[in-house]
Amino acid sequence: MTPTPERRRAASATAALLALCALLTITALTAASSRRTVVVIGASVSGGHSTSHGAAWPEQTDKRLQEADRPFSVTNASIGATRLLTRNDDGRPSALARQERDALAVPGVHTIVLTDVINDIQQTPHQYDPQVIINGFKEFVFRAHARGVRVVATTIPPYNGFPRYEPAGEHCRQTVNTYIRHSDLFDAVLDFDTILKDPADPTRLRPAYDSGDHLHPNDRGHHAIAEAIDLQELTRDTNW
């Protein structure tokens, strides 16, 4: 039986709709597969301890990337109380131990932000030898670079006033920060220390940014960090 004009028009409209749906699906899948990921490996500071919901700097940075229409998203893989080098007292894995699972295995990973190394210094047993921490950095970066993934380091903010603060820890913090700023190990550096420190006493957090425990920044501190991050530098392609 010969189709009526109405049936021919309906069939044509259906075919066009199916073609449009297929095109939209392909476009969505292509866009999703082209997005790249910045993974944050840190502890309670980057995890947003003592902040409002959504106020942590990784979440604010992710929002800035979306608003700037950059093809990147931020995955916050921070775990409170964790260290770079060793498990903590309750068995939470170190950044080195979970690097593969929580960062390198993330689909589309482009950059890892390695942060919150203060826990190696302030937690017991204290690690006050800066060279041991630096060696941990080198191992972390070597693994990432072997997979074509960038590593961005953050300097360690001050913590004077926190109960486990000690002058030996302060000396280690400053020595490690000097290495982070001036070595060529990392692909970029985010200077959290400079952003958060009190100009009147650089061993302490700026009072306006202090949550009250002298270790964790408050909402204003996290906002200051997020606003200071150069998105182009954060998402730059590898040059090695």
Side-chain angles (χ1 to χ4, degrees), residues 18 38 46 52 85 91 121 144 152 169 173 190 198 207 213 225 229:
L18 290 173
V38 176
S46 52
S52 304
L85 301 170
I121 297 172
V152 174
R173 183 184 75 88
L190 305 177
D198 183 355
D213 67 3
I225 289 172
I229 292 174

Side-chain angles (χ1 to χ4, degrees), residues 4-215:
T4 65
E6 290 78 8
R7 286 184 176 179
R8 285 197 296 268
R9 285 195 293 269
S12 178
T14 300
L17 180 59
L18 290 173
L20 177 60
C21 288
L23 177 61
L24 292 174
T25 299
I26 292 170
T27 301
L29 289 173
T30 301
S33 65
S34 66
R35 294 194 70 80
R36 292 182 283 182
T37 304
V38 176
V39 179
V40 178
I41 294 288
S44 57
V45 172
S46 52
H49 181 80
S50 298
T51 65
S52 304
H53 178 71
W57 70 262
E59 283 67 41
Q60 293 194 53
T61 303
D62 183 63
K63 183 178 179 181
R64 287 187 62 210
L65 287 167
Q66 309 319 310
E67 291 173 345
D69 200 26
R70 291 179 177 267
F72 286 85
S73 60
V74 176
T75 294
N76 191 357
S78 299
I79 300 176
T82 52
R83 302 166 66 127
L84 167 67
L85 301 170
T86 58
R87 289 178 176 271
N88 69 359
D89 289 342
D90 65 3
R92 300 183 193 185
S94 68
L96 283 168
R98 64 191 185 93
Q99 182 181 11
E100 173 66 32
R101 181 196 70 189
D102 292 350
L104 296 177
V106 173
V109 60
H110 175 274
T111 297
I112 303 170
V113 179
L114 180 59
T115 187
D116 298 351
V117 181
I118 185 61
N119 283 347
D120 289 82
I121 297 172
Q122 64 86 8
Q123 285 182 0
T124 55
H126 302 294
Q127 181 50 260
Y128 287 163
D129 184 345
Q131 190 58 52
V132 174
I133 295 175
I134 290 167
N135 289 343
F137 285 155
K138 290 179 179 179
E139 183 177 353
F140 193 98
V141 172
F142 176 81
R143 293 179 189 174
H145 283 182
R147 302 277 285 274
V149 176
R150 300 171 71 244
V151 178
V152 174
T154 75
T155 53
I156 306 171
Y159 72 116
N160 190 357
F162 190 68
R164 288 192 291 271
Y165 175 86
E166 293 179 354
E170 177 63 22
H171 179 266
C172 180
R173 183 184 75 88
Q174 292 194 24
T175 302
V176 171
N177 279 349
T178 297
Y179 179 84
I180 291 171
R181 289 186 180 107
H182 299 295
S183 77
D184 60 358
L185 178 66
F186 300 103
D187 299 289
V189 172
L190 305 177
D191 199 346
F192 287 8
D193 176 48
T194 296
I195 296 165
L196 295 175
K197 68 184 180 183
D198 183 355
D201 183 354
T203 69
R204 292 179 176 268
L205 292 174
R206 186 187 295 262
Y209 295 161
D210 191 345
S211 68
D213 67 3
H214 313 301
L215 176 68

